[in-house]
Structures are given as structure tokens and as C-alpha cells.
Amino acid sequence: MWPFLVACASPPEPDVAAVVTTVAASPPPPWTLQGRASSDGLDTPTLPGGAALLGAACATLNATLHGSGPPCFVEDWRADGARLRVERAGARLRFDRVPGRTTWTPIGGILASCLGDPLAAPPADDPGGRRTLEKRTWVITLSGQNRCALTGTLRLDATRDHAEWSGISSEGLPWSSGGREAAQTLLRAELRALVESKWGELDTVQREEALQALAADPHPDARRVLELRR
């Protein structure tokens, strides 16, 4: 081919399939929490109105969402120019005007006892824990500074009853390979200490539940504590 023909030739067509694949594989921009006001007092000053606004907003949210009272929060998330408002009143939550979840049935038993409220800030009362947002999934990251020594990541679908906890460990053990049992051991030790030190502060139902749990606890101290309280 003559040189001038090469120079005048049309540029090659872009590989459309490759472009589409690249775009599809690109991760969505991360959501960043811009502001938060909550009934637990953990407010972010960048949210206009803060806790003062929330005092009235909680009553409105409970009425609007048919919630059951606190916990109550409003969060403002941003990503690449987009804005997302998350509003919660008790057991009800609105995720950018779409009904969201505050509980997940896959999270039950020991894991539920370890976590408490999955959407609390910080999660599991872990000072090193974080709750972030990826698309429509809550990502709960734990540092181990919590009642069950949980570390790792828990993923909760914000609008569907789906949870993924394979990334969670307790006492350094994966949840499915000893972690669950390690967490149960920590919870049982906590209960034994609670019954010994704060028995007088428990109501009738709490005492009955504590005694039933102690009866199922194989630790030698459980029998001793049980005999003292019966």
C-alpha cells in the first residue's frame, strides 16, 4: 500500500464489545456519608438541622413510616453528584423513598446477639466498626472491639431479605469454622458475669431467660451460678 493511502485510511472501528465490558466491570462510585442526625446523638454537623431538626423529625418519621419509636435517624449520602436520603423510625426504614430493611432473617441466633441492631452507629458498639454503602448494600465492617470479638465484613441488602456473613470471624476463626462457637463462648461468659453482678436489676422475664441459658451452658461456672440463683 502506498504511504498516502495509509495516511488517508479510516481509523479502525473501536471494539464495542470491549468498551461495554470495561464499562460494565467498572465499580460504581462509592457512596459517602455527608451528614447524619440520630436519636442516639451521634450527629454529623454537615447535615442541616442536626439533632434539633431530628427531635421533630422523629415524630414525623414515626407517623409517616408507621414506626415504633426510636431508634430514629436521617442520613444523607452522596456519590458522584447523586444524593440518597435514608430515613429510619424504629423498625421501619425508607431508602430513598423505597421501603428498606432494618432486620434480616438470615441473621439470627448467636450472630444476632453479637450484632444487636445491624444498622447501629457504630455497628455492634464497635468503636472501630463502620457501616458504609455500596450501591444498595450495607457493608458492615467490624474491628474485633465488640462483645463477640467479631472481625471482617458483613453485607446486608438494603431492600431485600438477603445477608452475606461469610467474611465474619470471631476470635480469629471464620464463622463457619469455629467462629460461631467462639462467639457463643464469649456470650455465655458475659451472661454468667451479668447474673452474678446484676441479678437484682433483672426483671422476672430476664431472670427466667438467664436461668434457661445457664442450664444449657456446659462451663463449670454456669452450674455454680445457677445453683446460687435458684
Side-chain angles (χ1 to χ4, degrees):
M1 181 179 290
W2 296 101
F4 75 89
L5 290 179
V6 174
C8 294
S10 300
E13 290 292 326
D15 187 343
V16 176
V19 172
V20 171
T21 300
T22 301
V23 172
S26 300
W31 289 100
T32 301
L33 181 62
Q34 296 294 309
R36 183 177 198 271
S38 67
S39 57
D40 57 21
L42 299 174
D43 304 333
T44 304
T46 52
L47 182 62
L53 171 65
L54 194 67
C58 269
T60 303
L61 282 175
N62 273 292
T64 303
L65 302 180
H66 306 290
S68 55
C72 176
F73 66 66
V74 179
E75 293 179 341
D76 188 18
W77 295 79
R78 304 292 175 89
D80 198 23
R83 179 180 178 181
L84 177 69
R85 177 64 64 93
V86 181
E87 301 172 319
R88 178 184 182 175
R92 300 301 182 99
L93 183 140
R94 185 164 54 199
F95 193 86
D96 198 20
R97 299 185 180 182
V98 175
R101 302 197 66 85
T102 58
T103 60
W104 288 262
T105 54
I107 300 177
I110 294 172
L111 186 55
S113 296
C114 291
L115 286 173
D117 179 1
L119 299 182
D125 288 329
D126 186 332
R130 295 184 304 137
R131 171 168 54 86
T132 56
L133 187 60
E134 293 180 3
K135 296 182 71 175
R136 297 246 167 166
T137 299
W138 295 116
V139 180
I140 313 297
T141 305
L142 301 168
S143 73
Q145 303 175 70
N146 51 75
R147 69 190 308 194
C148 295
L150 297 180
T151 56
T153 302
L154 171 72
R155 303 178 69 86
L156 306 172
D157 192 301
T159 57
R160 298 186 302 119
D161 192 19
H162 177 76
E164 172 57 55
W165 64 89
S166 61
I168 290 290
S169 298
S170 174
E171 298 272 64
L173 299 172
W175 191 258
S176 60
S177 301
R180 180 183 181 278
E181 290 76 14
Q184 184 179 46
T185 297
L186 292 173
L187 289 174
R188 283 172 167 171
E190 180 183 300
L191 177 63
R192 293 194 299 269
L194 175 68
V195 170
E196 285 198 285
S197 63
K198 297 187 177 181
W199 180 257
E201 300 176 21
L202 305 181
D203 60 32
T204 302
V205 174
Q206 291 171 330
R207 289 184 177 186
E208 183 59 32
E209 291 177 346
L211 292 176
Q212 290 178 3
L214 285 171
D217 186 349
H219 195 281
D221 286 346
R223 178 62 55 187
R224 176 182 58 80
V225 175
L226 190 60
E227 290 175 353
L228 289 173
R229 296 306 176 190
R230 272 183 170 171

